[in-house]
Amino acid sequence: MAADEIIHQSVRLRIMATLNSLERRKALEFARLKAIVNATDGNLGAHIDALAKAGYVDVEKLFVGRRPQTRVKATSIGRRAFRGHAAFLRAILDEAEQPGKRVQRRTRQRPL
């Protein structure tokens, strides 16, 4: 099991965690997602683009009345990738919490 380098970045991890908490096929408005992950418009847009290129999210651009609205939702590929990355992180945390299985660091001894 390995880290998903696309999701591993902290803002993208928060985006995927937020979207993964929604019901399947449910989307979240850009403005709401921005508030949840505490990102700027440009920063959030760049991370959404990276996730979209990987196939992890779908982006819908539509108009509500005369106002543009961008909605983002996790794809099934993205949900699967998020679950895999979450399992990777849990394994690291579980290993760190097991005192009997800690790896001891070697200390370098200086010659006398």
Side-chain angles (χ1 to χ4, degrees):
M1 187 179 317
D4 185 307
E5 293 302 322
I6 295 166
I7 295 176
H8 191 68
Q9 198 283 338
S10 65
V11 175
R12 291 193 291 262
L13 179 59
R14 289 193 307 260
I15 292 167
M16 290 305 296
T18 301
L19 296 177
N20 201 56
S21 70
L22 301 174
E23 292 180 30
R24 291 196 182 280
R25 298 185 189 95
K26 293 287 183 179
L28 196 59
E29 292 179 26
F30 184 92
R32 181 73 182 124
L33 185 57
K34 176 183 156 186
I36 292 169
V37 301
N38 194 26
T40 63
D41 287 351
N43 189 262
L44 181 59
H47 287 298
I48 288 172
D49 286 346
L51 291 167
K53 285 179 186 172
Y56 291 178
V57 298
D58 281 333
V59 179
E60 302 173 306
K61 296 193 181 248
L62 45 115
F63 281 89
V64 176
R66 295 180 143 201
R67 300 187 70 186
Q69 186 180 77
T70 300
R71 297 166 35 111
V72 184
K73 65 181 173 182
T75 64
S76 56
I77 292 169
R79 287 178 179 275
R80 193 169 29 252
F82 177 77
R83 284 192 307 269
H85 189 70
F88 167 78
L89 294 175
R90 279 189 194 102
I92 290 172
L93 295 173
D94 289 347
E95 187 176 303
E97 291 176 351
Q98 295 176 5
K101 295 203 175 192
R102 286 189 181 171
V103 176
Q104 291 185 0
R105 288 185 173 175
R106 288 185 179 178
T107 57
R108 197 168 140 188
Q109 295 180 354
R110 293 183 184 197
L112 296 174

